Amino acid sequence: MNMHISTPVDRALAAAPTRDKHTGATLPQRLARWRRHSADIAYISLKACGFLGTCWLMAFGLPLLFFLAISGGNLDVLFWQVDNLAARWIAADAARKIAFSQTVQVVLISSTTLIAMWRLPAFLADVTGSPVQRDDAR
């Protein structure tokens, strides 16, 4: 989405166009090109932040999905499992807490990476504007 805003600086530059030796473009043309590039960078940055944020949220939702699956969808059983995990955390010594924390970190980073790899073709198609090609139709 281009914004056509004309500032006093733009009007002053447009009144006295100077040409670039290499490209032959006037200064307002070069500024317009840089604005398009910076708008593209901002768009891609926002889409990438949204993409990574949703990947992290999906990865954080996987443990909840796992606990819901092993509890059979029963919330009482789910909270008993969470209580059991919390009680074991409190009773554990420092070395076991560190080992568990490192395991959780590895699992979350690995699952986020796998989710990002799985969703990457759709993200690239969304950013570039090309459709996603699937190999399912054989």
Side-chain angles (χ1 to χ4, degrees), residues 4-82:
H4 300 287
I5 298 174
S6 179
T7 64
V9 175
D10 294 331
R11 289 191 289 274
L13 290 174
T18 57
R19 295 207 171 266
D20 187 11
K21 291 187 274 186
H22 303 291
T23 62
T26 62
L27 188 57
Q29 290 171 340
R30 287 183 284 161
L31 286 176
R33 186 179 68 230
W34 277 104
R35 282 186 183 156
R36 283 192 306 272
H37 290 312
S38 61
D40 289 343
I41 289 170
Y43 175 76
I44 291 170
S45 298
L46 287 173
K47 292 294 268 188
C49 287
F51 172 76
L52 292 175
T54 55
C55 287
W56 273 109
L57 285 175
M58 287 180 193
F60 286 139
L62 285 177
L64 176 64
L65 180 67
F66 173 73
F67 281 118
L68 277 172
I70 63 173
S71 68
N74 188 350
L75 290 180
D76 290 335
V77 177
L78 171 73
F79 285 112
W80 285 335
Q81 290 171 352
V82 173

Side-chain angles (χ1 to χ4, degrees), residues 117-129:
M117 288 171 44
W118 176 53
R119 296 183 62 220
L120 190 62
F123 169 72
L124 292 176
D126 189 31
V127 170
T128 60

Side-chain angles (χ1 to χ4, degrees), residues 59-115:
F60 286 139
L62 285 177
L64 176 64
L65 180 67
F66 173 73
F67 281 118
L68 277 172
I70 63 173
S71 68
N74 188 350
L75 290 180
D76 290 335
V77 177
L78 171 73
F79 285 112
W80 285 335
Q81 290 171 352
V82 173
D83 181 49
N84 183 24
L85 183 65
R88 289 176 183 264
W89 175 264
I90 292 170
D93 60 340
R96 292 198 54 166
K97 287 182 181 180
I98 290 172
F100 181 74
S101 296
Q102 289 174 345
T103 304
V104 169
Q105 288 175 358
V106 168
V107 168
L108 284 175
I109 290 171
S110 301
S111 62
T112 303
T113 303
L114 290 173
I115 290 169

